[in-house]
Amino acid sequence: MAESLRPTRSRIPGSGLAKGLAVTLRTMTKKTVTAQYPDAQPELPPRSRGVIGLFEENCTVCMLCARECPDWCIYIDSHKETVPPAAPGGRERSRNVLDRFAIDFSLCMYCGICIEVCPFDALFWSPEFEYAETDIHELTHERDKLREWMWTVPAPPALDPGAEEPKELAAARKTADKLAAEAAELEAQAAEQAARPEPPATGTTTGTTTTTAMPDPSKPSKPSDPQDGAS
């Protein structure tokens, strides 16, 4: 089968160079969009993956983040302490106390698995990105530095209209309402006792005046017992 040959279009010598120069000229006339970093800081999205911040109070040393990390770049050290019983007659408990929490950012690949698997919300993404070092060994940041980055973590986005309240807030609100109801009940009982009139006493003393119940003259008095005089 015969193949139809398309006619080749003749090109003008230097047409490609002319097109490239035209693009360059159009770009030169436009406003520059390059940010002069570090004089001008970039506007990052609010949920940028910069570094990982540590909220130390929520960490229970469960080691889930270190076990699930694909790069094994999280180092955790802890020790156990004995906690006295909360109520008399109870038994002592032991808890883990965090000694070291470090992340080697020269190995971290910013996958976010450690943040997702943390069951107590102790790890968060921070938009900070200026942590370059001249020595690779200095990219292992301890918990003090991770705690400083925690204060740059943006607030979580607002819930959608009609969304269900988080279970943590619902539990806290339920406890607060219960305590408020108990306090109101105690105040009502105290106010009721204060408004209740006191019963009159047989002998009462008001200031310096003493009131004593007098015998009724219409009723005969009880004769005295002769044994009382003998005694």
Side-chain angles (χ1 to χ4, degrees):
M1 184 175 59
E3 295 180 359
S4 60
L5 300 177
R6 294 182 180 179
T8 58
R9 185 177 298 176
S10 60
R11 295 182 179 180
I12 302 176
S15 61
L17 178 60
K19 290 181 180 179
L21 291 176
V23 173
T24 303
L25 292 175
R26 286 198 304 268
T27 306
M28 290 175 60
T29 57
K30 293 182 179 179
K31 185 179 180 180
T32 304
V33 295
T34 303
Q36 301 298 324
Y37 178 83
D39 297 334
Q41 293 292 328
E43 296 181 1
L44 300 176
R47 310 306 298 179
S48 298
R49 294 190 176 189
V51 290
I52 299 174
L54 172 66
F55 192 59
E56 188 176 337
E57 286 76 3
N58 287 357
C59 182
T60 59
V61 200
C62 64
M63 304 295 290
L64 275 177
C65 55
R67 288 199 298 263
E68 297 294 334
C69 178
D71 294 334
W72 293 84
C73 63
I74 300 178
Y75 311 111
I76 300 176
D77 293 332
S78 65
H79 70 277
K80 289 186 177 294
E81 286 186 357
T82 302
V83 181
R91 63 178 183 178
E92 297 180 345
R93 298 179 296 107
S94 62
R95 67 173 182 177
N96 294 323
V97 179
L98 185 66
D99 293 331
R100 185 194 183 198
F101 195 107
I103 300 178
D104 188 355
F105 284 96
S106 65
L107 298 177
C108 179
M109 63 180 185
Y110 304 92
C111 63
I113 293 179
C114 58
I115 298 176
E116 294 177 3
V117 301
C118 180
F120 300 103
D121 293 335
L123 298 175
F124 298 87
W125 280 117
S126 168
E128 292 290 331
F129 63 95
E130 296 178 323
Y131 58 95
E133 301 289 347
T134 57
D135 189 357
I136 192 174
H137 298 91
E138 296 179 0
L139 286 175
T140 301
H141 295 291
E142 301 292 335
R143 63 177 182 176
D144 295 336
K145 187 64 176 179
L146 301 179
R147 180 61 179 264
E148 293 179 6
W149 285 333
M150 182 62 207
W151 307 123
T152 61
V153 173
L159 297 176
D160 296 334
E164 184 180 357
E165 188 179 28
K167 58 182 180 180
E168 295 84 2
L169 293 180
R173 194 182 307 278
K174 184 178 179 180
T175 304
D177 294 342
K178 182 179 179 181
L179 294 176
E182 292 177 356
E185 184 178 358
L186 292 176
E187 291 180 1
Q189 292 178 359
E192 184 180 356
Q193 291 179 359
R196 186 180 303 171
E198 297 182 358
T202 304
T204 58
T205 303
T206 304
T208 57
T209 304
T210 303
T211 304
T212 306
M214 301 298 294
D216 191 355
S218 61
K219 296 181 180 180
S221 59
K222 181 180 180 181
S224 58
D225 193 350
Q227 295 180 0
D228 294 341
S231 61

